[in-house]
Every structure is written in C-alpha cells, then in structure tokens.
Amino acid sequence: MSFRAHKRTSFWIAKSVLFCVAVSLSSSASADAGKKKVAVWKIEQISHVYGPVTFYVADDAVKAIFSKQNATCVMAAPTWKVTMEDSVHKNEFDSSIATWASKGFHIADKTYGGQEAARRTVAWQGKPALEVVYKIKDSDPLQEQYEMLYAESPGRSIAVKTEEETYVKPFKMSSHVQSFFQGIYNHPVPDSLVVDHTRVYTNGRRDNLVHTLAITKVTVDSSEFSYPKGYKQVSSVKMVMNYVNRKKDAVGVFEDLLGVDTKSH
C-alpha cells in the first residue's frame, strides 16, 4: 500500500471512530435527558425495630426506604395511593391515604393511652423544636405487654414511666404528605416530623425508639416515586414487611431491658 493510500485509510478509520463516539455520547445524553430530576427533602432516621429508614419528600410525592427489610413505601399524585412493596418477594400492599393515616404503619411502638404531661420548646440540631412528654398509666396495654411477655421474670415489675417525642417543622407539608407521616408516626402534632422518640422507664433506663441523623435537600430521579409493576397484591402490611425479624428485634429489646440471659434460652 502506498503512503497516500495508507493515509487515506487511516483518515476514514479515525472519522468512523469519532462518529461512533459522537453517537454514543448523544444516546447517553438523550437517556439522561429523559430522566426528570426532582428536588426533594431527604430524611435519614433510625428505628429501634426496623433499623435505617430514609424518606424522600417532594411536593407531590413521598417515598420511605426500609433497607433492612428490602421494602419501600410510595405515595404520589394524582391518586395518592400508598403502596408498601417488597423488592425480594415482589409483594405489594395498597392503601388509600385516608386508611393509611388512621391505621398506617408505625416505625416505633405506639404510645398506648399516654396522657400529655408537658410541652416545652427545645433545640434540635440548632433549630427550635417542640418536645411533648406523655405520662404512661399503670393500666396501659403497653405495660401489660411487658408483664405478659415476662410473667415469670424477676424483672417483670419494670414499667414505662413516660414517652418523649420531639417535633420539628423543617419544611412546609401538603395535607397529603401530612397524612402520610401520620400513618408513619401516629403523632398528634400536624405539619411536623418526629425527629426523636424516647421511652423512659421507672428504673431510669431510656430507649431511643426513633432517632434522626440528618435532614438535607437533594436531587433524585422522578422514577424514585414510581409505583411497582407486576408485583403480587397481598392483603396486609405484614406480608410485605419482615415481621419475623421485627418480632425478634422487639423481644430482644425487652430481654435487654429486663436483663434476660438469651444464651440460656
């Protein structure tokens, strides 16, 4: 091959490579352009039963991610349907927002019949917050749960004294978003988030049921708020969340509280 012919061949090879690269970059850019970005509030919390929980809160949608259970909970306009989904077993449970707000799914044990004893303004991460203290009566079902579980335990006299919840209002919530968090926390303070929930016992022990690590503004793909497709409909939240592990974790809290030696069981 002559030098001129070799040079011509090299030119066309280089041109073809550049064309392929340009097409590839164009396709990638088109794909990225097809993904709508949404500014959301990201809330990172720890639940004493469910472990790490992450919330994405947009103006017209909310998503909760329970990484330990491989489960998520999504609510989005215009239907505002609340869907719990299990990505491992491909199960989903659907609920109307009204039913969810009244029954819901609580990331901490409910405060059973607690009577509000005090309200005070406190500081949370340098911002004003509301702390509400609930006094637990001796006859509350919460007390009875401990006694029934450890009826023969020498530590059965342990009792819950108060529950303390800290609320903040880091951003404005729509009525639908408020209803979603009502189903999550079962709390009485509207337009707010529970950032800390502490249970105080008569022996002085304090258990942190909900703890907030951070609240930040981030950007995510709008697909984060898509409802699952092809999942099997189930009849209860229990069939989506890993309630076996939840029960073991809850029992572990009680055993630790009462000083039970789990190795001997």
Side-chain angles (χ1 to χ4, degrees):
M1 180 184 295
S2 66
F3 174 77
R4 181 175 296 177
H6 176 75
K7 187 175 182 180
R8 187 182 301 113
T9 300
S10 298
F11 170 78
W12 284 110
I13 291 175
K15 191 171 183 179
S16 298
V17 170
L18 288 174
F19 176 77
C20 291
V21 171
V23 170
S24 177
L25 291 174
S26 177
S27 299
S28 177
S30 298
D32 290 339
K35 294 181 179 179
K36 183 181 177 181
K37 299 293 185 179
V38 181
V40 302
W41 287 98
K42 180 180 180 181
I43 305 162
E44 299 171 86
Q45 295 189 331
I46 299 291
S47 161
H48 77 130
V49 173
Y50 296 103
V53 185
T54 300
F55 297 97
Y56 292 139
V57 185
D59 292 336
D60 57 356
V62 185
K63 181 176 185 177
I65 304 171
F66 302 89
S67 56
K68 188 176 178 180
Q69 284 73 31
N70 297 304
T72 58
C73 183
V74 177
M75 180 194 74
T79 65
W80 301 108
K81 175 182 69 174
V82 179
T83 296
M84 291 285 299
E85 58 187 85
D86 170 9
S87 61
V88 174
H89 301 97
K90 306 298 182 183
N91 291 330
E92 72 169 89
F93 171 75
D94 297 333
S95 171
S96 68
I97 184 60
T99 300
W100 177 263
S102 62
K103 295 183 178 180
F105 159 81
H106 307 112
I107 65 174
D109 296 333
K110 293 173 66 177
T111 304
Y112 293 94
Q115 180 179 0
E116 184 175 319
R119 286 192 176 208
R120 50 180 172 255
T121 300
V122 297
W124 181 82
Q125 294 190 359
K127 300 177 182 178
L130 172 67
E131 183 182 76
V132 181
V133 179
Y134 301 92
K135 183 178 180 180
I136 308 301
K137 301 177 182 178
D138 292 341
S139 60
D140 285 342
L142 182 60
Q143 304 275 16
E144 296 170 8
Q145 287 183 17
Y146 294 110
E147 296 195 357
M148 288 175 64
L149 186 60
Y150 292 105
E152 305 301 323
S153 170
R156 70 187 298 271
S157 60
I158 190 69
V160 179
K161 182 180 179 181
T162 60
E163 303 229 0
E164 302 170 358
E165 292 187 335
T166 303
Y167 305 90
V168 299
K169 298 183 179 183
F171 49 84
K172 184 67 178 177
M173 298 184 197
S174 68
S175 59
H176 289 96
V177 172
Q178 289 184 52
S179 294
F180 179 88
F181 280 110
Q182 176 63 31
I184 289 288
Y185 298 122
N186 187 36
H187 64 74
V189 182
D191 195 24
S192 62
L193 293 172
V194 176
V195 289
D196 275 301
H197 182 171
T198 302
R199 179 168 294 155
V200 183
Y201 302 90
T202 53
N203 67 350
R205 176 183 172 123
R206 299 173 66 89
D207 279 344
N208 201 209
L209 309 187
V210 175
H211 175 65
T212 301
L213 302 175
I215 301 176
T216 54
K217 200 72 177 288
V218 299
T219 302
V220 299
D221 291 335
S222 59
S223 59
E224 288 284 350
F225 303 104
S226 298
Y227 289 109
K229 295 180 180 179
Y231 279 36
K232 177 184 176 183
Q233 290 280 346
V234 294
S235 59
S236 70
V237 174
K238 293 182 180 181
M239 299 177 70
V240 175
M241 297 297 288
N242 190 342
Y243 267 58
V244 173
N245 283 347
R246 178 187 175 184
K247 183 177 180 182
K248 289 180 180 178
D249 289 345
V251 170
V253 170
F254 295 148
E255 290 176 337
D256 186 33
L257 169 67
L258 300 175
V260 176
D261 183 4
T262 57
K263 294 181 181 180
S264 64
H265 287 245

